[in-house]
Amino acid sequence: LSDSIGGSFSASSHRCHHKQKHCLPIPQCGTLSISPLLFHPHTKGSQIIMDTTQKAVKRQASFCNAITFSNRPIVIYEQVRLKITKKQCCWSGALRLGFTSKDPSRINPDTLPKYACPDLVSQSGFWAKALPEEFANEGNIIAFWVDKKGRVFYRVNDSAAMLFFSGVRTAEPLWALIDVYGLTRGVQLLDSEIIPPDCLRPRSFTAIRRPSLRRETEDTRLSVSLCDLNLQEETFQVTATTCPIPQNSLNSQHSHLLPSQLESDLRFHHLRGPHVKILDDQTVARLEHAREERTLVFTSRPLRINETIFVKINKSNAVRTGTLSYGVTSCDPSTLRPSDLPYNPESLVDRKEFWVICRVVVPLQSGDILGFMVNSDGELHLSHNGAGTGMQVCVDCSQPLWMFFVLHGAVTQIRLLG
């Protein structure tokens, strides 16, 4: 993007008393004489289709290449209001919302990357974050805005304001950034509202207690919204390779469900959550001390397209609730430290890399065998004891993807079979 906007990005920020002309005004209560907020007519992702009013956009294909901007700078405390008009199941992730200090008119649309996160936000002058998937339903109205301290807030319909992220430089003009990503297929801009703090309604930011600004749930364990797919059973095609299955690693009534030969090069990565232990030549992951918060384990290498990874449920506890969670990421585990792994795996989707998290929805018992496969179209398929359960989610397979698992609930130990 550096060439398309006339120079490299500057990491320096401007303070108000140095560049007073760049300070965004804080409006008074009442109507401000500004032009309507529209989508920028020219600077948009290659998959974006815009209507003639510049108020509605739709992603025509894929799940990315759908970055859009506002046609003018926003004002401090101006609430950018969006209505979700179209949701498309099977994708993971939803709207990315934020701001940029780069004038979209100076950005060549051909240089826009696939994603706002992590591509744009890794550059100076762009700030954005993913909207939680559970809020990305058709008909929902999302409002987001920035205050004079650079904090970004959002609300869904008539809910109380929630802190989204912070660190935005407000000493220079800011344009809204909206990435119509993943589950979100279409959005419509509604009339923006400029409501300074002293004019906010009682349920809004200034009237609620500070802890309410954070997104809190009663259950701190992983909670993922899965697509309501009409799944059809599919049969896995497994190509026999050169290494026989180690018979001492099976010992299961389901061993006949596996191909006669498996590659044995796959291991768990040495990087793991502190509440899980890796055993038996890096092929077994076991929950330790009944702790469920930090139990992530990764594959030692990226997945190969169209290969099926077989995982055995070594131990399960019927008394406990919950099941195995899994996902893929473009993050090389070798670049992480154990302290980087969060207590709530759902927060991984806020990292700069590509993360997708799902949950096995079928009941699991000791001895069950799961198969995971990503095909060339980015479809992640799951099999359970030899029966295909269909496509679970679509992922970005244009980059190396490591698989990871999260032990919690009834599943206390798993083994990589190959």
Side-chain angles (χ1 to χ4, degrees):
L1 290 179
S2 58
D3 292 337
S4 65
I5 62 175
S8 60
F9 295 147
S10 171
S12 61
S13 60
H14 303 289
R15 298 186 181 275
C16 288
H17 60 270
H18 286 302
K19 296 221 174 188
Q20 191 67 32
K21 65 180 180 180
H22 286 317
C23 293
L24 297 177
I26 299 177
Q28 303 300 315
C29 294
T31 303
L32 205 71
S33 182
I34 57 175
S35 60
L37 193 67
L38 308 173
F39 285 106
H40 195 281
H42 307 300
T43 305
K44 59 186 187 298
S46 60
Q47 293 298 325
I48 284 292
I49 298 175
M50 186 180 301
D51 73 349
T52 56
T53 67
Q54 295 176 226
K55 279 185 162 292
V57 294
K58 180 181 178 182
R59 191 183 69 248
Q60 60 181 336
S62 185
F63 62 95
C64 55
N65 286 307
I67 295 171
T68 65
F69 302 91
S70 61
N71 67 324
R72 63 162 174 82
I74 56 90
V75 188
I76 293 293
Y77 297 106
E78 179 178 5
Q79 298 189 18
V80 181
R81 300 172 63 244
L82 292 167
K83 182 177 182 180
I84 298 177
T85 57
K86 182 68 175 177
K87 178 180 178 180
Q88 182 179 19
C89 289
C90 98
W91 299 117
S92 176
L95 272 175
R96 274 78 165 123
L97 304 173
F99 298 97
T100 178
S101 60
K102 308 299 178 182
D103 184 348
S105 297
R106 299 181 60 200
I107 300 177
N108 181 349
D110 294 336
T111 65
L112 286 174
K114 287 184 177 181
Y115 317 105
C117 306
D119 297 350
L120 279 184
V121 296
S122 64
Q123 304 285 353
S124 175
F126 293 91
W127 304 269
K129 189 175 179 181
L131 182 75
E133 285 187 23
E134 59 264 35
F135 299 147
N137 295 320
E138 286 185 16
N140 276 357
I141 295 176
I142 315 297
F144 67 101
W145 66 97
V146 62
D147 69 5
K148 63 182 180 180
K149 295 181 179 180
R151 298 176 300 182
V152 177
F153 299 88
Y154 76 100
R155 63 156 51 98
V156 182
N157 299 324
D158 294 325
S159 69
M162 291 172 277
L163 179 62
F164 205 11
F165 58 92
S166 59
V168 177
R169 295 197 302 268
T170 59
E172 46 197 323
L174 294 171
W175 286 260
L177 188 164
I178 301 159
D179 187 358
V180 188
Y181 177 84
L183 293 171
T184 310
R185 183 86 183 267
V187 296
Q188 177 185 358
L189 271 175
L190 306 179
D191 292 339
S192 60
E193 296 179 357
I194 305 175
I195 307 177
D198 53 346
C199 300
L200 287 173
R201 294 184 292 273
R203 290 189 65 194
S204 297
F205 167 53
T206 54
I208 60 177
R209 296 181 181 272
R210 186 172 184 82
S212 300
L213 294 176
R214 295 191 298 270
R215 183 178 166 216
E216 296 178 343
T217 58
E218 293 180 1
D219 187 353
T220 59
R221 290 177 293 179
L222 175 65
S223 175
V224 178
S225 297
L226 295 177
C227 301
D228 50 341
L229 297 171
N230 294 319
L231 298 178
Q232 297 179 350
E233 287 197 358
E234 299 186 14
T235 302
F236 280 79
Q237 296 181 350
V238 182
T239 303
T241 55
T242 57
C243 300
I245 303 173
Q247 290 302 313
N248 59 358
S249 71
L250 298 180
N251 190 26
S252 165
Q253 68 270 28
H254 296 308
S255 61
H256 68 280
L257 302 174
L258 293 166
S260 58
Q261 291 180 315
L262 281 176
E263 290 185 357
S264 58
D265 69 318
L266 196 65
R267 298 287 188 273
F268 286 118
H269 200 279
H270 63 82
L271 186 279
R272 56 180 173 77
H275 299 151
V276 66
K277 190 170 184 178
I278 304 298
L279 305 166
D280 199 4
D281 195 25
Q282 299 290 110
T283 63
V284 172
R286 185 178 71 193
L287 192 67
E288 289 287 280
H289 310 303
R291 300 293 298 273
E292 298 186 354
E293 299 94 340
R294 303 175 73 182
T295 60
L296 274 83
V297 291
F298 299 81
T299 55
S300 56
R301 62 162 173 81
L303 309 178
R304 301 182 185 120
I305 296 299
N306 291 323
E307 78 169 337
T308 301
I309 293 178
F310 291 98
V311 175
K312 176 186 171 185
I313 307 300
N314 265 15
K315 293 182 180 180
S316 64
N317 186 340
V319 177
R320 303 172 62 156
T321 59
T323 185
L324 181 71
S325 293
Y326 64 94
V328 297
T329 177
S330 65
C331 180
D332 184 345
S334 299
T335 64
L336 298 176
R337 300 164 300 179
S339 59
D340 293 327
L341 302 179
Y343 282 89
N344 184 357
E346 189 177 356
S347 61
L348 288 169
V349 299
D350 292 330
R351 287 182 56 90
K352 64 180 182 178
E353 308 91 1
F354 179 75
W355 293 81
V356 171
I357 304 178
C358 300
R359 175 175 288 174
V360 178
V361 295
V362 295
L364 296 176
Q365 299 177 350
S366 297
D368 283 0
I369 294 177
L370 302 174
F372 302 89
M373 185 268 287
V374 175
N375 65 19
S376 58
D377 293 325
E379 300 173 347
L380 195 160
H381 290 260
L382 170 69
S383 70
H384 177 229
N385 293 334
T389 61
M391 179 178 66
Q392 304 301 297
V393 70
C394 293
V395 301
D396 178 13
C397 62
S398 65
Q399 51 193 322
L401 295 175
W402 283 259
M403 193 160 193
F404 63 90
F405 301 91
V406 187
L407 276 67
H408 58 94
V411 178
T412 59
Q413 183 170 304
I414 60 174
R415 177 187 290 273
L416 276 175
L417 298 179

